[in-house]
């Protein structure tokens, strides 16, 4: 590779033009690259949703969920099948193995569902397949108020939603809050009885009244015209006049047997912003669009809507693009800060501005090359890719520092051209080996298939881009600039004077400790043991929390509560949130899920002020014990950054499973009662502890048959009587008006009224329901959950604020001490399963990286013995890594595991440089002197490269820019500090020990230039 150095020195114009080209394309890449918060990710999951109106959870479980589950479980590639049976709906989550072709999986799943739908109840809707998209969370949330004297929800649906849906970048628009309007046909039971009419008779007449049918063609002049016939009912008056023929031959009108009027749907959802009633609008982008692009288009439409309606108030509650821009901006500032700090360190050490600029030139060139390659690879500017550049800043200059320092040492009586060539040639193998070891670390990362592979692939590739470009910059740009600017090393600077004293002190220290090999190794091992003890106290999470100032409050209310009581609870929580001085805004929603038909519970999102007195986690710790005391609720308070992961990450979660639902439910409730005595837990609940009261109607088949009916046909008539029946739809302007028919609301408020429903038999006789069935109250589970064909109940709890123990482990031990009855067993939860899978995958990648580093170094040294020496710095670097994680109270996570992966590639660099120098020096001097002088000679580049890397990561390690990457930076900073000290102090001892052992093994039969290790 020294030929590249000679080429650059002989062809400077070519190289300069190449650099200008790199800078040009790098700037274009920055300007054209899309901005996102995180890399695009996908999970191999699909949801099967089946609606069965009016069915209880138990009926859904038996008649729908089990039948679909038994067929779906036979599909290949499925890892787990989880199903929740709730009122009106079955929701099945299918998790596939990573790497599964989801297009083929969709086709196979569709075939199975098509075959099973014939065995489902006839009133059940066709199973619907929903593909999970991790990027499909709402990008913009708006609140709408005012703008109309009529119905606000209808106004939003008619005038606002269509405007957003027209945009090419918008994927979906959903609303919550308000009440939609419809036309209600309220039947008068006495009038129906008077005219001997049934509800079904009226429904059939209305449904067939509004029609349009082609009846042929006629010739009109030279044209052939199609003829259609029909009747339109476009307003209430026409509906009232619908003709109803009687069996006597007379006719009446609909108004004679029903009241027809405009009505509002029953209030089943709530939406408020800062306590004001609003309609909330959630906008989600197309997968091919960016959040920033959507935000620009949406804001433009909002301005147009406001201009057209001065009374309309549209408030942006949340705009992900704003958060993305702020996050990327913070990371960019961290990048600039890292560059400035690195340049300051270089100037302090070199004492010459020209030398500092020569080394610093590697930074913009390497960054621009990396940005160009990132754009070519299709990467966006996100927290991971931009954070990777910050992490790479310190490592970028390492090779350039070593080359320039070597050029200075080679100068003596040589000219600048010869010293540039010679100085680069001396260290070219060392820096190449160091960069290769750093790069091979990320090969296992690129091969990961799970969530970590999708999330961190860009990190690995970006750092590899930086490192490879820094190598070419070090062996081509640095020698050329050295030749152009003729920098002079200043030895009289403060840093050099300090460094000379450090070198002298180092020489004395190494001479004293090298013979004391057992003491040195013993102290190192003791520190390593202490670091593992500290590691056991830092905890473990899947992803670190970020202090975004958003708090998610999820409230499950007691089953059966009416909307008025739910509203009262919501207002109580809203008042508490609004009273906090650190809260800027808050949003509350309650209502039906868009995906399913069950109520989703109260959801409150609090947005904290940017300038606040407390961190987000401190606010959560203060709110949680207060809110969990509200009766008739189960409340979870957590950081919004972790609230949408799709799996629970409560402080304590214990899952029980059994083939007998009643047994596992009883067991869980008994354990919950006992766990209430644990003073370190609060908000202890079971997913099956509350039963929803329902009215159960058991039809006697014999009695039903006596009037020519079946239990199913009886159920259909009862359903029609108790539920609004949609009988017609018609268009009015831009709106579609729904017409529904039912009896007055108060018709069936008691058991007696239900029992008196008249069932018309095939002969026309009317029989009370009480003669055909028993009607009674019964408790029913709110949700019945099954996982892999076993019923599952979850016990969840939160840890008391300030409790330092491991609440989850202690709760586990408590449950184990209670014991479980036969037929009930423990089950893992989804969060722990995912964390275990991802951590195991990253650990395997880490071990693979260590193996590859060993191979690369053994090839470089042509000796596994020297490779093994350097490898000793890896475990001992954990002393600093675990120490800093413990000191900053940062848990081990996927991010910090990536930090360990990076660390093993960086901490060996100083060891490589030291061992390579010892190997060169021992040819000219005794081994003991070589061990001392190698460290003293290389202490400057070792300290300089380490300091630039540490200082460039320091802002991120302190949590500036983004909290997400703090654990990664802390691991690297701590590991570099520990490995640097060990490389300089422990390696001399290890080198001497292993060199002596190697000579014994080979019997001192080493040929010149050949190592038989």
């Amino acid at each position: 590779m020294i030929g590249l150095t000679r080429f650059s020195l002989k062809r400077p114009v070519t190289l300069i033009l190449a650099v200008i080209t790199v800078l040009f394309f790098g700037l274009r890449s920055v300007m054209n690259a899309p901005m996102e918060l995180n890399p695009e990710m996908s999970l191999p999951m699909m949801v099967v949703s089946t609606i069965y109106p009016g069915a209880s959870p138990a009926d859904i479980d038996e008649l729908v969920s089990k039948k679909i589950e038994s067929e779906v479980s036979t599909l290949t590639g499925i890892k787990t099948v989880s199903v929740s049976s709730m009122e009106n709906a079955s929701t099945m989550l299918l998790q596939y193995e990573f790497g599964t072709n989801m297009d083929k999986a969709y086709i196979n799943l569709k075939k199975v569902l098509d075959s099973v739908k014939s065995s489902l109840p006839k009133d059940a809707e066709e199973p619907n397949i929903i593909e999970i998209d991790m990027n499909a969370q709402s990008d913009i949330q708006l609140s709408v108020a005012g703008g109309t004297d009529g119905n606000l929800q209808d106004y939003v649906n008619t005038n606002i939603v269509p405007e957003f849906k027209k945009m090419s970048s918008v994927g979906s628009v959903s609303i919550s809050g308000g009440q939609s309007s419809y036309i209600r046909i309220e039947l008068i039971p006495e009038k129906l009885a008077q005219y001997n009419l049934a509800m079904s008779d009226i429904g059939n007449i209305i449904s067939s009244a509004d029609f349009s049918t082609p009846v042929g063609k006629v010739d009109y002049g030279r044209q052939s015209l199609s003829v259609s016939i029909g009747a339109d009912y476009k307003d209430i008056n026409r509906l009232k006049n619908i003709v109803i023929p009687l069996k006597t031959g007379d006719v009446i009108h609909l108004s004679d047997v029903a009241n027809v009027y405009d009505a509002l749907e029953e209030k089943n959802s709530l939406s408020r912003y800062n306590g004001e009633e609003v309609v909330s609008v959630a906008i989600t982008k197309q997968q091919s669009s960016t959040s920033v692009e959507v935000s620009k288009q949406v804001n433009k439409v909002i301005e147009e809507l406001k201009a057209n309606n001065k009374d309309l108030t549209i408030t942006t509650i949340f705009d992900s693009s704003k958060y993305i821009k702020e996050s990327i901006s913070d990371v960019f500032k961290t990048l600039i800060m890292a560059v400035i700090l690195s340049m300051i360190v270089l100037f302090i050490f070199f004492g010459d501005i020209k030398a500092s600029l020569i080394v610093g030139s590697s930074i913009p060139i390497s960054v621009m090359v990396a940005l160009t390659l990132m754009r070519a690879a299709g990467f966006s500017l996100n927290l991971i890719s931009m954070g990777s550049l910050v992490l790479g800043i310190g490592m970028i200059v390492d090779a350039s520092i070593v080359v320039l320092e070597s050029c200075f040492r080679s100068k003596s009586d040589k000219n600048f051209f010869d010293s540039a060539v010679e100085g680069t040639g001396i260290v070219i193998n060392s820096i190449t080996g160091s960069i290769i070891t750093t790069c091979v670390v990320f090969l296992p990362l690129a091969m990961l298939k799970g969530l970590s592979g999708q999330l961190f692939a860009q990190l690995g590739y970006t750092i590899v881009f930086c490192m490879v470009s820094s190598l070419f910059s070090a062996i081509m740009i640095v020698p050329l600039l050295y030749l152009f600017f003729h920098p002079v090393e200043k030895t009289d600077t403060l840093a050099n004077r300090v460094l000379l004293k450090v070198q002298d002190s180092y020489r004395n220290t190494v001479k004293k400790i090298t013979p004391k090999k057992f003491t040195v190794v013993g102290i190192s091992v003791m520190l390593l043991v202490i670091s593992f003890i500290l590691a056991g106290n830092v905890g473990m999470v899947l992803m670190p929390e970020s202090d975004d100032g958003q708090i998610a409050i999820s409230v499950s209310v007691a089953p059966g509560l009416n909307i008025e009581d739910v509203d009262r609870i919501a207002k109580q929580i809203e008042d508490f949130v609004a009273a906090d001085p650190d809260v800027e805004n808050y949003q509350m929603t309650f209502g039906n899920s868009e995906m399913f038909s069950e109520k989703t519970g109260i959801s409150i999102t609090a947005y904290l002020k940017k300038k606040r007195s407390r961190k987000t986690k401190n606010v959560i710790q203060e709110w949680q014990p207060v809110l969990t005391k509200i009766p008739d609720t189960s409340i979870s308070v957590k950081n919004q950054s972790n609230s949408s992961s799709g799996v629970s990450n409560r402080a304590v979660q214990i899952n029980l499973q059994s083939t007998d639902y009643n047994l596992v439910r009883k067991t869980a409730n008994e354990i919950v009662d006992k766990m209430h005595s644990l003073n370190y837990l609060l908000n202890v609940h079971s997913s099956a502890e509350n039963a929803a009261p329902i009215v159960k109607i058991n039809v006697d088949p014999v009695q039903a048959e006596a009037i020519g009916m079946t239990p199913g046909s009886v159920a259909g008539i009862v359903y029609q009587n108790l539920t609004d029946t949609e009988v017609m739809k018609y268009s009015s302007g831009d709106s579609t008006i729904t017409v529904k028919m039912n009896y007055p609301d108060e018709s069936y408020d008691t058991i007696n009224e239900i029992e008196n429903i008249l069932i018309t038999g095939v002969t026309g006789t009317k029989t009370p329901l009480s003669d055909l069935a028993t009607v009674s109250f019964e408790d029913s589970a709110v949700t019945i959950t099954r996982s892999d064909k076993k019923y599952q109940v979850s016990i969840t709890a939160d840890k008391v604020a300030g409790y330092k123990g491991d609440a989850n482990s202690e709760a586990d031990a408590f449950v184990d001490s209670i014991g479980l009855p036969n037929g009930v067993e423990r089950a893992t939860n989804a969060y722990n399963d995912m964390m275990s899978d991802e951590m195991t995958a990253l650990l395997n990648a880490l071990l693979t990286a260590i193996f590859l580093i060993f191979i690369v170094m053994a090839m470089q040294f042509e000796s596994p013995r020297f490779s093994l020496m350097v490898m000793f710095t890896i475990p001992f670097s954990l002393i600093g890594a675990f120490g800093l994680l413990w000191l900053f109270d940062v848990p081990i996570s996927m991010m910090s595991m990536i930090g360990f992966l990076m660390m093993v590639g960086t901490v060996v660099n100083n060891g490589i440089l030291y061992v390579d120098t010892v190997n060169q020096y021992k040819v000219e001097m005794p081994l003991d002197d070589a061990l001392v002088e190698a460290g003293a000679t290389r202490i400057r580049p070792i300290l300089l490269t380490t300091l630039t890397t540490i200082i460039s990561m320091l802002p991120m390690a302190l949590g500036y820019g983004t909290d997400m990457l703090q654990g990664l930076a802390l691991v690297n900073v701590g590991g570099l500090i520990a490995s640097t000290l060990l490389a300089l102090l422990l390696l001399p001892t290890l080198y001497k020990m292993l060199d002596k052992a190697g000579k014994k093994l080979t019997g001192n039969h080493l040929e010149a230039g050949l190592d038989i290790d």
Side-chain angles (χ1 to χ4, degrees), residues 524-789:
S524 301
V525 171
M526 182 183 67
L527 291 173
L528 184 60
V529 172
I530 292 173
S531 72
F532 279 111
I533 294 173
L534 294 177
N537 293 320
V538 298
M540 184 177 290
V541 295
L542 184 63
M543 290 293 290
E545 289 186 352
S546 56
D547 190 10
D548 301 332
Q550 297 180 34
I551 299 176
I553 304 174
S554 301
V555 185
S556 298
V557 297
L561 283 185
N562 57 39
I563 191 73
E564 289 77 16
D565 288 330
V566 172
D567 193 21
R568 175 185 55 78
I569 293 171
K571 285 180 178 177
Q572 184 179 351
I573 300 173
E574 288 177 273
D575 292 342
F576 173 80
V577 170
D580 194 299
D582 282 333
V583 172
E584 185 172 23
N585 298 301
Y586 61 92
Q587 179 190 23
M588 185 281 299
T589 58
F590 168 83
N592 287 341
S593 160
E594 290 178 38
M595 188 180 295
F596 319 116
S597 62
E598 84 281 4
K599 290 184 178 178
T600 57
I602 302 170
S603 176
I604 297 176
T605 303
Y607 301 91
L608 304 182
K609 297 175 181 176
K610 283 189 176 181
K611 295 181 180 179
R612 52 184 181 271
S613 59
R614 298 163 293 171
K615 290 186 175 181
T616 304
K617 66 178 182 180
N618 299 128
V619 177
I620 292 173
Q621 289 173 354
E622 292 180 21
W623 286 7
Q624 199 165 45
V626 177
L627 294 177
T628 51
K629 293 179 181 177
I630 296 176
D632 296 327
T633 64
S634 172
I635 298 180
S636 168
V637 185
K638 54 188 176 182
N639 195 314
Q640 176 71 17
S641 65
N642 285 348
S643 68
S644 56
S645 60
V647 289
S648 172
N649 57 346
R650 302 285 289 274
V652 173
Q653 181 170 345
I654 297 168
N655 288 350
L656 305 179
Q657 65 182 18
S658 173
T659 55
D660 185 338
Y661 177 72
N662 291 326
L663 177 61
V664 71
R665 176 183 174 184
K666 178 184 176 184
T667 303
N669 290 338
E670 290 174 352
I671 292 174
V672 167
D673 291 339
K674 295 177 181 178
M675 288 179 68
H676 281 302
S677 63
L678 302 177
N679 56 11
Y680 56 86
L681 296 180
L682 51 83
N683 202 19
V684 183
H685 291 285
S686 157
S687 60
E689 65 185 357
N690 289 322
I694 64 171
V695 175
K696 184 71 173 179
I697 301 173
N698 290 310
V699 179
D700 186 336
V702 177
Q703 296 296 330
E705 187 179 0
I707 62 170
M709 303 287 284
T710 64
S713 57
V714 172
I717 294 174
V718 174
Y719 175 79
Q720 194 176 45
N721 277 263
L722 299 180
T723 309
D724 286 344
T725 303
E726 184 180 307
V727 292
M728 181 190 295
K729 279 186 178 180
Y730 67 84
S731 297
S732 176
D734 295 330
S735 303
T736 299
I737 308 297
T738 301
V739 180
K740 295 183 179 181
M741 178 183 67
N742 207 342
Y743 288 108
D745 291 335
E746 65 277 5
S747 297
Y748 302 107
D749 286 345
T750 67
I751 290 288
N752 287 336
E753 288 171 339
I754 294 175
E755 289 177 331
N756 288 329
I757 292 176
L758 296 176
I759 307 299
T760 303
V762 292
T763 61
T765 58
K766 299 183 182 300
T767 307
L769 179 63
S770 57
D771 291 348
L772 308 175
T774 58
V775 184
S776 60
F777 287 111
E778 187 176 293
D779 285 341
S780 173
V782 179
T783 302
I784 299 175
T785 302
R786 288 166 59 87
S787 180
D788 294 331
K789 299 185 178 182

Side-chain angles (χ1 to χ4, degrees), residues 17-33 332 335-336 339 360-377 381 385-386 388-390 392-393 396 461-462 464-470 473 477:
L17 290 175
V19 170
I20 293 173
T21 303
V22 165
L23 295 176
F24 172 76
F25 283 107
L27 289 172
R28 285 196 61 181
S29 299
V30 172
M31 292 186 290
N32 297 329
F332 185 75
L335 179 66
I336 300 300
V339 172
S361 67
S362 300
I363 297 176
I365 293 172
S366 299
V367 168
M368 288 303 174
V369 170
L371 287 169
T372 303
L373 294 174
M374 286 164 57
R375 187 75 184 103
L381 297 183
S385 60
M386 291 298 291
S388 306
L389 291 177
V390 177
I393 289 297
I396 284 172
Y461 282 115
T462 301
V464 168
F465 295 156
C466 288
M467 298 308 298
V468 172
S469 57
S470 73
S473 180
I477 305 297

Side-chain angles (χ1 to χ4, degrees), residues 171-235:
S172 64
V173 182
S174 60
I175 69 169
S176 62
Q179 294 170 268
S180 61
S181 61
Y182 71 103
I183 292 180
R184 180 178 176 87
I185 299 175
E186 188 177 279
L187 300 175
I188 304 171
E190 296 80 10
K191 293 291 185 179
L192 291 179
Q194 176 184 339
Y195 294 112
N196 196 26
L197 292 170
M199 184 182 192
S200 58
D201 298 329
I202 305 296
N204 292 333
I205 292 170
I206 297 173
S207 298
S208 59
D210 185 78
F211 72 96
S212 178
T213 303
V215 293
K217 292 183 178 182
V218 296
D219 292 329
Y220 184 77
R222 300 173 61 187
Q223 293 179 311
S224 178
L225 304 179
S226 297
V227 180
S228 64
I229 188 170
D232 294 327
Y233 295 89
K234 301 297 187 184
D235 55 50

Side-chain angles (χ1 to χ4, degrees), residues 69-98:
E69 182 185 23
S70 62
E71 296 298 325
V72 166
S73 300
T74 61
L75 292 172
T76 57
I78 289 184
K79 187 177 180 181
T80 58
V81 178
S82 302
V83 59
S84 296
S85 302
M86 59 212 78
E87 187 177 356
N88 302 325
S90 166
T91 307
M92 187 172 295
L93 176 64
L94 309 177
Q95 182 176 349
Y96 291 80
E97 299 286 352
F98 274 100

Side-chain angles (χ1 to χ4, degrees), residues 785-800:
T785 302
R786 288 166 59 87
S787 180
D788 294 331
K789 299 185 178 182
K790 289 185 178 180
Y791 292 105
Q792 198 168 94
V793 175
S794 298
I795 299 171
T796 57
D798 294 308
K799 185 170 65 173
V800 171

